[in-house]
Amino acid sequence: MPELPEVEVTRLGISPHLLGQRLEGAIVREPRLRLPVNPDLAEQISGQTVRQLRRRGKYLLLDLEHGSILIHLGMSGHLRVLPRDTALRKHDHVDLLITDQLCLRFNDPRRFGALCWLEDVDQHPLIARLGPEPLTADFSGEYLYALSRHRQIPVKAFLMDAHIVVGVGNIYANESLFAAGIDPRRPAGRVALTRYQRLAQTVREVLQSAILQGGTTLRDFSRPDGRNGYFRLSLAVYGREGQACIRCGAALHSLRIGGRATTYCSHCQR
DNA sequence: CTACGTACCTGCCAGC
DNA sequence: TGCTGGCAGGTACGTA
């Protein structure tokens, strides 16, 4: 997926086509996503104007006059704005019909994503309990330090917990910890305040830089306009097991933390 | 409460 | 060539 930068790049890409537009309906071909698509989605959204297009963590929220459409891209989801008569591809699960014969087409091979209409999206349990945004002022080293006391969980798993802070997935957790010089296995409760301050800073820098470069294109993420992101060229550790650390030259190590591939430099990260 | 394993689903790639 | 197993950017839930 789609981590926070990819979702933000998607939001920026589709916004001009949706903001202020009146939705004319929806076509649901496969409702079985992580959250089921509303059986009566077309009736619920049809005739409504898109008031705002927000991002909360990795969720995209299309605020309508009444209620909101919640979209999550899961591991393999993808959104594109296309002419409605564009030939269907495998896994094109939902079309939101916009004006001028255009549609917002949701494609998701693994169906770990979501697209549904909710009356009050901010009160939904999936959204209401999320941690702060990493790019706003309420996310800081002091905050991470305070929440991590007495926690034994590896700091990488702590950083990837959306109830702590949203939007930091596997790629950017690996990259931020490398940039901050912190061993991903270290218990979260044993990281000092000054090192959390450094980590909060590297998280912000890594995410911001990825957004500016159009996200990280791996197997199946590309931007809504079909162009690729270039952040992959900047990855220091993710996917580089066995290769030389860009800082000290030692071979990078790899292991699994919380079931996720973790790559780090045992010399630079302590 | 915390930590951990597992499940959801399809596609792709390495290895046999 | 073709099969199989393992792995993939996320998240929620069950269990101890």
Side-chain angles (χ1 to χ4, degrees):
Chain A
M1 173 177 175
E3 296 191 26
L4 184 150
E6 290 72 28
V7 177
E8 181 65 12
V9 168
T10 297
R11 187 182 74 83
L12 295 170
I14 66 176
S15 278
H17 302 284
L18 285 164
L19 266 187
Q21 297 296 321
R22 182 176 167 277
L23 298 179
E24 295 181 3
I27 299 170
V28 180
R29 302 181 190 86
E30 173 57 85
R32 295 174 302 165
L33 305 180
R34 177 160 67 92
L35 299 179
V37 183
N38 317 61
D40 45 359
L41 180 69
E43 295 88 88
Q44 273 155 333
I45 67 170
S46 149
Q48 294 205 58
T49 298
V50 180
R51 285 276 167 79
Q52 201 181 179
L53 229 158
R54 292 181 286 152
R55 179 187 55 71
R56 182 73 179 94
K58 299 172 192 169
Y59 291 92
L60 274 176
L61 309 175
L62 280 63
D63 293 327
L64 309 180
E65 294 156 87
H66 181 216
S68 306
I69 299 170
L70 172 148
I71 300 176
H72 195 286
L73 301 177
M75 294 267 268
S76 56
H78 186 90
L79 288 171
R80 299 187 79 170
V81 174
L82 300 164
R84 287 182 202 175
D85 58 6
T86 305
L88 288 175
R89 297 186 195 178
K90 212 169 171 183
H91 312 299
D92 280 339
H93 304 316
V94 181
D95 284 358
L96 298 183
L97 306 180
I98 343 171
T99 47
D100 297 332
Q101 298 306 305
L102 292 177
C103 71
L104 179 69
R105 186 162 285 175
F106 177 78
N107 179 291
D108 183 12
R110 294 174 73 179
R111 288 196 276 123
F112 286 0
L115 189 156
C116 60
W117 178 87
L118 295 168
E119 173 109 38
D120 188 351
V121 72
D122 293 300
Q123 294 306 309
H124 191 281
L126 286 179
I127 300 296
R129 291 197 276 260
L130 292 175
E133 290 288 330
L135 299 178
T136 58
D138 47 354
F139 174 69
S140 67
E142 286 77 7
Y143 168 84
L144 288 176
Y145 180 77
L147 284 198
S148 61
R149 292 310 87 189
H150 309 298
R151 294 205 52 181
Q152 298 301 308
I153 188 178
V155 62
K156 178 174 179 251
F158 176 72
L159 188 61
M160 289 178 68
D161 182 345
H163 301 108
I164 303 301
V165 58
V166 296
V168 186
N170 199 32
I171 296 178
Y172 300 113
N174 278 300
E175 294 299 316
S176 306
L177 287 163
F178 172 77
I182 299 172
D183 188 323
R185 301 166 297 178
R186 177 175 283 273
R190 303 245 181 119
V191 175
L193 173 60
T194 53
R195 309 191 75 212
Y196 270 127
Q197 288 170 331
R198 173 82 181 123
L199 180 60
Q201 180 66 20
T202 62
V203 165
R204 282 190 290 264
E205 287 169 359
V206 164
L207 293 176
Q208 198 62 257
S209 160
I211 291 170
L212 291 174
Q213 293 177 65
T216 301
T217 298
L218 295 179
R219 257 184 221 102
D220 47 21
F221 173 75
S222 65
R223 315 199 307 191
D225 58 11
R227 294 162 62 202
N228 285 340
Y230 288 95
F231 192 73
R232 172 145 74 141
L233 303 176
S234 312
L235 296 177
V237 287
Y238 181 83
R240 296 193 64 243
E241 176 184 6
Q243 297 181 42
C245 169
I246 58 168
R247 190 181 291 154
C248 77
L252 297 175
H253 290 249
S254 216
L255 50 82
R256 300 189 80 78
I257 292 176
R260 313 302 301 277
T262 304
T263 306
Y264 70 104
C265 174
S266 58
H267 179 251
C268 297
Q269 293 174 257
R270 295 291 169 160

